[in-house]
Amino acid sequence: KNINSVNQNLVMIEESKSHLEKNGSFQLVARHKKGGAMLEKKMLDVFGNAEKIARQSGYTVYASKKI
């Protein structure tokens, strides 16, 4: 796992909330078993919500909404 890539994704999640309008959504695609679960948890911490909206071929689409 590339640590810099993971850290960049964590920063992107943290900073994205301030760029969204109310009810705006943030979505990302990741492999669940290759860091996606950690990114989903970060989205939950930052936005207070996170859900898996699609899965295919080992990839998962995660979404959070600014409330």
Side-chain angles (χ1 to χ4, degrees):
K1 192 184 317 187
N2 184 334
I3 299 300
N4 287 332
S5 175
V6 171
N7 288 339
Q8 288 173 346
N9 285 327
L10 294 173
V11 170
M12 179 177 61
I13 293 166
E14 290 172 359
E15 293 180 353
S16 66
K17 188 173 182 181
S18 67
H19 295 278
L20 294 173
E21 294 184 10
K22 186 176 180 182
N23 295 316
S25 69
F26 175 81
Q27 300 176 15
L28 65 81
V29 178
R31 288 188 176 268
H32 187 75
K33 294 182 179 179
K34 299 284 184 180
M38 179 180 57
L39 297 173
E40 180 184 25
K41 182 183 180 319
K42 182 65 171 183
M43 291 168 69
L44 184 58
D45 292 344
V46 170
F47 289 94
N49 62 82
E51 66 176 314
K52 297 177 186 109
I53 59 173
R55 290 185 203 181
Q56 186 173 348
S57 301
Y59 290 91
T60 303
V61 180
Y62 301 93
S64 289
K65 190 176 202 178
K66 182 175 181 179
I67 299 173

